[in-house]
Structure formats: structure tokens, C-alpha cells
Amino acid sequence: MKARRPKGTLDFVPPESDRLRAAEELFGQVCRLAGFEAVVFPTFEHTEVFVKSSGAGSDIVAKEMYSFSDRAGRELTLRPEGTPGVVRAVLENGVRLPCRLYYTGSFFRYSQPQKGRYREFHQLGVEALGEASSRTDAEVIRLGSEFFSRLGISDCRTVVNSIGCRDCRPAFRGLLVGFLKERREQLCTDCQLRLAHNPLRVFDCKNATCRNALAEAPVPRQHLCSGCASHFAGVLAELKRLELPFSLDDRLVRGLDYYNRTTFEYVSDSLGAQDSLGGGGRYDYLIEEFGGPATPAVGFALGLERALLALPEVDPTRRRALVFVVWLTEADISEAQSLLARLRREGIAARIDYDATRLKQQFRSADSARACCCVIVGGEELMRGACAIKDLASGEQTEVRLSDVVEQLRRRLALSGSAPAGVSR
Ligand code: HAM
């Protein structure tokens, strides 16, 4: 049988897999500098964890969950997003609040696969639990944007909005429903349903007729209570102080039920229809709804596949920061192995090919591993206490004393720009 991967999934093989891991590592670094700590939580949860938080009327819960009963009849779901699992884990483990947490991993949504939308995808997320200040919203928004710029995505735009709170939303909702009812026949069937269950979500609809019908619709930002208005003004002032460019989008309501006040997204114009690189917002009621103490919170998640799509393609021939140790005869293998061990101890990635008995085969192995250079051990050079370094890109070969080889290789690796597991190409 010729096995193929399931629809909507991706394989990451070298060099793309290196780029994925390097991006996750970069995300961890950026997060740890801002005081976030890692959280690891299960890939599946009891289904109710998602229904209760993401919202029964959300597309995720209504159409996109991978749910199943296990052999003992438990109703379980592969995580479609991280926020509910993090909140559940924090409460279940009695993590002290406030806390700042970040995560990376696989998430699952059953939707029509297309460029930038997969059934299994990787998210990088942060959740700041227990911080109410509008300055935290801005700091969190900036964190995502800093990650994208350090990753090398130059066309990432930040879009922000406020959707109000428990106090001001009911009145706004009434106003919006009144407006939409007058235009019901212009709305698509999905939006007619949204009208009854979650009218704010109509702003999310991509349908052109719905968009036209909404042209004059009241928007949440114009109907905020004084608390929400001053919180949002604080977010915008802080974003300006941080010199983070942003634009306002009155229709940015986000597709999950738990948000209140600030919502935001990172968008790339190079991505086409699936243009959202990531998004998040405030969710001040979710922890309480999970049975915890009233705790304000804000966070975001980024789609790693989309981030990689927004970067230029990886050059498959780009050499790695890998040194290949090549031996001339069987008698030189033990010397070659000592050098191999020394390079690894010194933090230089190194390989050897024990199977290829001929020099030419060893060079071929080095080339197919995309090593940047070979160190040749044996012959007269070895008797002189030296070895040869061959640059695989230029073909140039130089003799180096064995005592200087680490220093020489370090210099070459730094110069060649073939960074270890680099995100950049
Ligand atoms: P979300 O907007 O549903 O938010 O997902 C965040 C990001 O994950 C999206 O902007 C997109 O880049 C990526 N993403 C979502 N679905 C897919 C897919 N099928 N294929 C590829 N990428 C995808 C959340 O998940 C919230 N939990 C974010 C959050 C954290 N809010 C507060 N804290």
C-alpha cells in the first residue's frame, strides 16, 4: 500500500522542518523575555471544555471540531484552539495568578482545506491571566508583532477594535438586531441564523451581499460604555507610546464567544483569503465561567503555517551549519572520531559517514546532507598534526593545524551565514 497523509494535513521535512522548529524556538525566546513561562496541556480535552468557552454558536464548535467517544464512552475533542485548555489547566493545577503563559503545538479544525487553512495546524499562543490594565493589552499586542518582525515578515499589519463588555453589549446587540431585522432578506442563511444566536458574528461574514447590507450598521466601538471606552483609549495610547503602527477595524469581532473589550488581529496582504496570521483579545469572564475567581485575561494565538507561507520559500540547496568529517583510510577513523567528538563538545554540529569507503562517496554524503564544509582527516597532513578544510560551496581547500580547527570552523560558520536551524534563508 502506498500511504498518503490525510486530507488537510502537512508534512514538514528538512529544511522546512528546521524552519518550523526554529520559529517555535524564536517565539519561546520572545515570550520568555516578556516574562511568559511555558505551559503544556493535552491535545484533547472533554468536549464540554470547548463548547463552554469557544461558544456553541461559533463555527469552531458548530462545524469544525474533531470529536469522538473513547472506548469508555467519554466525549472528547482534539483541541481546536488553546485558550480553553490553558484556562482549565491553570485552574485544575492551582497555578498562582497573575501568570503569563505561552504554548506551541498542534491544533485541529475540520474545515475545507486550502492554502493557509489546514485540518491540523500549529499555533503559537500566549495567555496573560490576572492582568486588567490596558497597558497589558498593548504589551501583548506588541509581543506578537515583534515576533513577526524578528521572523522576517515585513508586511504584517496590526488591526484592533473593541467589542464592549457585559454592561454595554446587550444594548448594542439590541440596536444591531433591530438594524439587521430590517435587512433580513439581504442576509445569507448563515447570517440569518447568527441574527438569532450571535448577531455580532455577522460582521465576520465574507459574503458580499451581507457586507453591503452592513455598510451602515451600528458598530460596537461607537456604543461602548465609559469603562470600555476609556480602556480602549488606553490601549491605543499605549500602542502609540510603544510606536507600534496599527489600524482600527470596526468589524473585527473575532470568531469566538469569550472575547470582551479589545480584539486584534495580525494580517498579511500576501496571504490571500486566509490573511489572518494570528489574533486574540481580552477575555475577562472566561476564568470565572470555568468556576475560577473573577480574573481578567488577554492573549493571542498565531498560525505557524501561515507565518511560514508569508516568508519567502526556503532555498532547498542552502547549506547548513554542519561539518562533515571525512576520513582517508580505515586507520584514520579513530582520529576522525576524536575530532567529531571534539567538534560536538564545542557546539559545532558534525557528522561522519562510516559506510562510504571511498572519498568521493563521503563527499557525496556531505553534499546531500547540505553540509557547508568537510574536514579531511588522514594522510601526510595528519602526520604533520594538521587536517584539511574543504569549503563545499566554493570547493576551496586549506590546510589547518588540528589545534586550530575549531576556531577556524567557527569563523567559517559565522561567515557563511548558514545559521544552525535558521528561520532565515
Ligand atoms: P483564532 O483566530 O481562532 O484564535 O486562531 C488564531 C490563528 O490560528 C489564526 O489567526 C490563524 O493564523 C491560525 N489558524 C486558525 N485556524 C487555522 C487553520 N485551520 N489552519 C491554519 N491556521 C489556522 C484562537 O485560536 C484563540 N485561542 C486566540 C487567543 C488566545 N485568544 C486569546 N488568547
Side-chain angles (χ1 to χ4, degrees):
M1 175 184 108
K2 207 169 182 191
R4 300 184 70 83
R5 61 174 187 264
K7 185 172 173 182
T9 63
L10 288 176
D11 295 316
F12 285 86
V13 296
E16 195 63 25
S17 48
D18 263 358
R19 211 153 69 118
L20 180 98
R21 290 289 173 240
E24 285 176 338
E25 180 43 37
L26 175 68
F27 185 71
Q29 276 172 27
V30 172
C31 290
R32 287 191 294 272
L33 279 175
F36 286 80
E37 296 174 281
V39 59
V40 180
F41 51 100
T43 316
F44 57 89
E45 299 274 351
H46 292 286
T47 299
E48 62 179 25
V49 167
F50 302 112
V51 176
K52 204 158 76 177
S53 50
S54 313
S58 67
D59 278 359
I60 291 183
V61 172
K63 305 181 194 161
E64 299 181 351
M65 294 206 304
Y66 276 95
S67 299
F68 57 98
S69 331
D70 73 5
R71 286 167 194 273
R74 295 178 194 94
E75 292 305 317
L76 301 169
T77 294
L78 295 183
R79 58 186 185 187
E81 56 140 340
T83 313
V86 172
V87 168
R88 199 255 327 124
V90 164
L91 293 177
E92 188 168 341
N93 293 280
V95 177
R96 267 180 69 179
L97 296 169
C99 66
R100 288 186 159 204
L101 302 168
Y102 76 90
Y103 50 91
T104 64
S106 285
F107 292 81
F108 307 86
R109 293 185 192 178
Y110 189 86
S111 53
Q112 198 47 43
Q114 53 177 287
K115 192 176 167 213
R117 191 198 273 169
Y118 310 98
R119 291 184 173 171
E120 180 181 11
F121 57 99
H122 293 80
Q123 270 193 354
L124 311 172
V126 300
E127 313 294 349
L129 308 187
E131 294 184 45
S133 168
S134 55
R135 292 191 172 92
T136 299
D137 301 30
E139 199 185 310
V140 165
I141 294 172
R142 200 190 116 123
L143 186 79
S145 149
E146 187 189 336
F147 166 71
F148 285 125
S149 90
R150 286 188 55 183
L151 192 66
I153 298 178
S154 48
D155 73 338
C156 170
R157 293 187 288 112
T158 306
V159 186
V160 293
N161 191 25
S162 175
I163 56 169
C165 68
R166 274 177 185 160
D167 295 336
C168 50
R169 215 183 296 165
F172 172 71
R173 193 186 147 115
L175 203 66
L176 181 65
V177 168
F179 176 90
L180 293 172
K181 275 189 174 156
E182 285 170 22
R183 291 155 183 84
R184 183 191 282 275
E185 57 304 334
Q186 295 170 49
L187 301 177
C188 69
T189 17
D190 272 356
C191 280
Q192 291 189 9
L193 283 174
R194 286 174 183 137
L195 185 56
H197 303 293
N198 196 338
L200 237 70
R201 189 85 26 84
V202 296
F203 286 115
D204 242 2
C205 187
K206 303 276 183 275
N207 189 308
T209 357
C210 294
R211 292 199 151 240
N212 282 342
L214 283 166
E216 307 282 307
V219 291
R221 196 163 59 89
Q222 287 163 353
H223 298 272
L224 300 177
C225 60
S226 60
C228 287
S230 84
H231 184 92
F232 195 52
V235 175
L236 302 188
E238 189 64 9
L239 288 175
K240 283 183 192 139
R241 194 191 68 79
L242 294 169
E243 295 180 2
L244 182 88
F246 62 87
S247 54
L248 295 174
D249 181 351
D250 284 330
R251 292 164 177 236
L252 181 64
V253 291
R254 309 266 307 131
L256 297 153
D257 276 3
Y258 47 67
Y259 292 116
N260 67 300
R261 290 194 165 170
T262 319
T263 53
F264 57 94
E265 267 183 24
Y266 305 101
V267 183
S268 161
D269 297 324
S270 61
L271 283 178
Q274 302 301 318
D275 65 352
S276 170
L277 283 167
R282 207 160 247 295
Y283 50 99
D284 293 334
Y285 313 126
L286 188 61
I287 296 157
E288 208 178 339
E289 281 161 16
F290 267 85
T295 309
V298 59
F300 66 70
L302 315 174
L304 195 42
E305 283 80 1
R306 293 191 190 173
L308 297 181
L309 274 176
L311 286 170
E313 300 246 302
V314 189
D315 172 4
T317 62
R318 185 175 192 261
R319 297 200 173 271
R320 299 155 64 198
L322 174 74
V323 173
F324 228 86
V325 179
V326 166
W327 44 274
L328 289 184
T329 66
E330 285 279 332
D332 301 317
I333 289 185
S334 72
E335 192 62 48
Q337 283 177 308
S338 324
L339 179 62
L340 186 77
R342 180 146 70 95
L343 295 183
R344 289 174 180 170
R345 267 200 313 278
E346 296 286 344
I348 297 175
R351 263 184 68 182
I352 192 166
D353 185 341
Y354 298 115
D355 296 324
T357 44
R358 283 189 295 151
L359 202 59
K360 209 169 161 187
Q361 288 173 311
Q362 293 187 56
F363 282 126
R364 214 176 291 140
S365 298
D367 206 47
S368 77
R370 304 188 325 280
C372 63
C373 53
C374 287
V375 182
I376 307 157
V377 178
E380 285 178 14
E381 276 110 333
L382 187 57
M383 283 194 268
R384 286 199 295 273
C387 60
I389 297 181
K390 180 171 173 153
D391 185 311
L392 289 176
S394 66
E396 171 210 335
Q397 190 166 317
T398 33
E399 185 174 321
V400 182
R401 295 200 56 74
L402 273 171
S403 52
D404 295 339
V405 71
V406 168
E407 204 38 53
Q408 280 283 338
L409 288 171
R410 279 226 177 90
R411 209 168 298 154
R412 275 167 188 274
L413 294 177
L415 285 178
S416 73
S418 37
V423 194
S424 56
R425 273 118 305 116

